[in-house]
Amino acid sequence: MKSETRKELIVSAIQNGTVIDHIPSYAVIQVMRILNLINTDLQVLFGMNLDSKKYGKKGIIKVRDKFFDDIEINKIALAAPHATLIEIRDFEIISKKQAEIPDFVEGIVKCFNPKCITNHEQVRTRFKVVDKEDLRLLCHYCEKITKNENIEFI
Amino acid sequence: MNMKNKSLISINDFNKEELLQILDLATYFEQNPHQKILEGYVVATLFFEPSTRTRLSFESAVNRLGGRVIGFTDAAVSSTSKGESLADTIRTVSNYADLIVMRHPIEGSARWASEVASVPIINAGDGSNQHPTQCLLDLFTIRQTQGTLDHLDIAFVGDLKYGRTVHSNVIALSNFQTTFHLVSPEELKLPSAVKMHIKSNNLKYYQYTQLEEVIPKVDIIYMTRIQRERFADPIEYERVKNSYTLTKKMLEGSKENLKILHPLPRVNEISIDVDADPRAYYFKQALNGVYVRQALIASILGLA
Ligand SMILES: [Zn+2]
């Protein structure tokens, strides 16, 4: 209970909206970018390097009066594979969802191939996810694979 | 498959039946190469990097069908050199032609062009990515020489690492129960992703560093060029280059039905004493490119 109280001091509770929990701290800004929370009128609270039983340290984002659809949720799985989305109405948790790696990824990841058209002209990147375990993205344009360790967000 | 108004971008877009359908149509054009079905049609050939051989083959195909060709042969004369985007060039040329054939050094450029063009695109090579008409003409040639594509023993020789043609052929041939014989220097072996593709189709491949031992085993030898720039050490290049030159003498003991293919241009991978040998087939292979391109152009324009 004591640690709960302390957490509330750092990132205060919200009445309605979404809490995105279990984000690696380094990915918090990335997740905010993917969800278009950087230039928004919504109230956004976030924290990094918070204590987590599961992961040691974690990041968290709270967005007031906003609920995300599954397509948006799955986009963040690339940056935060273990993220949990908690929907809150009147301070009550009404649902918990796990982000899942989607089948297709559009407009959020760079193609690793420097000779790819997407790195030369204004072309929205498009990938088919060919391996969800070991994250491998097949570029729709150059047909090359971008591997997990080479993923760079736009 | 109805190809009308569809772009031809990657060999990976075709399944076995669709590949065979194109080859059958190419056989029809082999028997009837001169037909005026393209009268009144304009085909643009946009070569953002030069490739005289491929361009002439396409232009011959269009001309033999009675169509007209517009275009450029090198990006320096196009508006690209003034900084125009590929998308803008393609949108503009879409107004002037019924079909665009393009070659471009950037990978994925043809797929992108097909998404902005209002007319179909044929990819005549996008960097090291795809060159589907080359692959189709190779399949056509293999079938023509062997009477079938099924259950053949095919050797690929030379640069199997960077050779786009080899990768596409291996992937397309995996539809036909091919046994692959892969001959290359250690540093230019077939990439593991392509080998995985062979395995996932439950097919066999064997790797060699010596050309001689593979010759008696195979129905087709597909030679490719080894480029100097692939080697850090020039001495290593000289050594490798000479050990992958096919000579007439090496062909003793080959199968009767063996045919030798090469996407051309040849440098020194095949000694000229092989040219007159009945097993040499690379110049006929180039002619087949015209039939395959006639078939593709006619079906994309809805004329066949
Ligand atoms: Zn790409």
Side-chain angles (χ1 to χ4, degrees):
Chain A
M1 196 64 213
K2 203 179 173 191
S3 73
E4 279 303 307
T5 322
R6 203 184 302 143
K7 220 184 276 173
E8 293 312 328
L9 285 174
I10 299 166
V11 183
S12 65
I14 56 174
Q15 183 172 4
N16 289 297
T18 307
V19 176
I20 307 165
D21 201 356
H22 303 302
I23 306 169
S25 289
Y26 62 82
V28 166
I29 300 296
Q30 194 49 250
V31 168
M32 288 173 60
R33 253 195 221 124
I34 293 171
L35 294 174
N36 288 319
L37 298 175
I38 303 285
N39 293 307
T40 177
D41 296 332
L42 296 166
Q43 285 188 16
V44 181
L45 306 142
F46 67 93
M48 297 177 193
N49 300 315
L50 307 176
D51 293 322
S52 157
K53 273 181 222 137
K54 257 195 208 160
Y55 302 104
K57 297 280 179 195
K58 67 173 181 184
I60 195 166
I61 300 169
K62 299 190 176 191
V63 192
R64 284 222 168 100
D65 302 318
K66 169 78 182 170
F67 301 94
F68 298 95
D69 64 37
D70 286 353
I71 295 170
E72 288 175 290
I73 291 168
N74 290 341
K75 277 186 187 175
I76 72 166
L78 293 176
H82 304 289
T84 313
L85 280 92
I86 303 157
E87 293 190 342
I88 295 174
R89 288 188 200 271
D90 280 330
F91 299 107
E92 297 286 333
I93 293 174
I94 56 158
S95 77
K96 273 193 183 193
K97 288 180 201 164
Q98 205 67 38
E100 274 174 48
I101 306 270
D103 296 329
F104 295 93
V105 175
E106 289 194 24
I108 55 173
V109 173
K110 273 183 65 155
C111 180
F112 183 63
N113 175 10
K115 287 188 244 155
C116 177
I117 187 75
T118 60
N119 292 315
H120 289 262
E121 290 210 359
Q122 295 232 336
V123 183
R124 188 179 154 84
T125 62
R126 293 170 67 181
F127 299 90
K128 186 179 180 201
V129 180
V130 290
D131 189 337
K132 292 190 182 186
E133 295 282 292
D134 190 22
L135 213 49
R136 290 160 70 85
L137 310 178
L138 176 68
C139 177
H140 166 75
Y141 292 100
C142 72
E143 305 185 10
K144 300 283 183 296
I145 299 271
T146 297
K147 293 182 195 166
N148 195 5
E149 59 266 34
N150 298 324
I151 286 180
E152 202 182 305
F153 292 92
I154 290 166
Chain B
M1 174 189 44
N2 186 358
M3 286 189 65
K4 190 177 176 187
N5 287 326
K6 299 239 176 73
S7 291
L8 173 76
I9 305 302
S10 167
I11 202 72
N12 300 334
D13 297 341
F14 295 86
N15 64 29
K16 179 176 178 174
E17 283 64 41
E18 291 164 344
L19 293 171
L20 287 172
Q21 207 178 320
I22 296 165
L23 302 191
D24 288 344
L25 190 59
T27 305
Y28 166 79
F29 280 100
E30 181 189 11
Q31 288 147 7
N32 311 275
H34 299 274
Q35 301 186 56
K36 298 294 164 209
I37 56 173
L38 240 58
E39 203 119 59
Y41 284 87
V42 176
V43 174
T45 53
L46 308 186
F47 278 61
F48 295 88
E49 68 176 3
S51 174
T52 309
R53 206 170 292 276
T54 303
R55 185 174 55 81
L56 290 179
S57 178
F58 270 108
E59 295 187 357
S60 169
V62 174
N63 280 298
R64 284 183 179 174
L65 296 176
R68 295 294 192 114
V69 175
I70 58 170
F72 52 80
T73 58
D74 150 18
V77 300
S78 79
S79 44
T80 313
S81 61
K82 296 176 196 148
E84 186 181 48
S85 71
L86 172 63
D88 284 3
T89 305
I90 294 294
R91 284 188 192 105
T92 307
V93 176
S94 291
N95 297 321
Y96 308 142
D98 301 292
L99 171 70
I100 295 172
V101 175
M102 67 174 273
R103 186 181 187 98
H104 197 286
I106 302 292
E107 296 162 27
S109 55
R111 179 82 67 192
W112 170 234
S114 75
E115 291 170 358
V116 297
S118 55
V119 297
I121 301 277
I122 294 181
N123 182 6
D126 59 330
S128 68
N129 183 31
Q130 284 279 332
H131 188 5
T133 63
Q134 176 71 48
C135 183
L136 287 163
L137 84 87
D138 291 340
L139 294 183
F140 180 85
T141 306
I142 293 168
R143 189 173 77 159
Q144 185 185 55
T145 64
Q146 307 296 326
T148 178
L149 279 170
D150 293 316
H151 299 286
L152 297 173
D153 279 84
I154 301 184
F156 288 93
V157 182
D159 180 355
L160 309 188
K161 184 173 182 187
Y162 299 100
R164 143 189 87 184
T165 311
V166 173
H167 305 169
S168 294
N169 278 334
V170 168
I171 287 165
L173 283 165
S174 295
N175 287 300
F176 299 97
Q177 293 83 49
T178 303
T179 300
F180 296 96
H181 300 266
L182 310 170
V183 188
S184 74
E186 273 304 319
E187 49 274 74
L188 295 177
K189 279 178 155 176
L190 195 70
S192 54
V194 186
K195 285 191 276 208
M196 285 298 287
H197 187 90
I198 299 177
K199 271 194 216 154
S200 69
N201 282 277
N202 292 318
L203 301 175
K204 289 201 180 101
Y205 66 84
Y206 302 94
Q207 302 190 95
Y208 312 77
T209 51
Q210 299 298 315
L211 177 53
E212 283 82 353
E213 57 177 313
V214 84
I215 291 170
K217 298 178 184 170
V218 297
D219 305 302
I220 293 285
I221 298 177
Y222 195 103
M223 298 293 296
T224 65
R225 199 149 51 97
I226 293 178
Q227 288 167 291
R228 187 186 299 270
E229 53 267 31
R230 304 293 182 210
F231 288 84
D233 179 357
I235 298 163
E236 189 58 18
Y237 167 72
E238 290 302 323
R239 184 190 65 77
V240 162
K241 181 189 74 176
N242 294 329
S243 67
Y244 289 87
T245 300
L246 187 66
T247 63
K248 191 171 166 67
K249 186 153 191 314
M250 288 160 75
L251 291 171
E252 284 169 18
S254 82
K255 287 193 186 179
E256 198 115 309
N257 61 319
L258 172 73
K259 290 287 182 277
I260 301 151
L261 307 187
H262 190 301
L264 303 179
R266 154 187 61 174
V267 183
N268 49 17
E269 310 79 54
I270 305 174
S271 154
I272 53 165
D273 69 0
V274 179
D275 292 0
D277 190 284
R279 289 164 288 196
Y281 211 80
Y282 25 94
F283 294 114
K284 275 200 187 144
Q285 181 186 3
L287 171 62
N288 287 337
V290 177
Y291 306 138
V292 167
R293 288 168 180 129
Q294 284 182 315
L296 291 166
I297 292 166
S299 49
I300 289 170
L301 290 174
L303 304 169

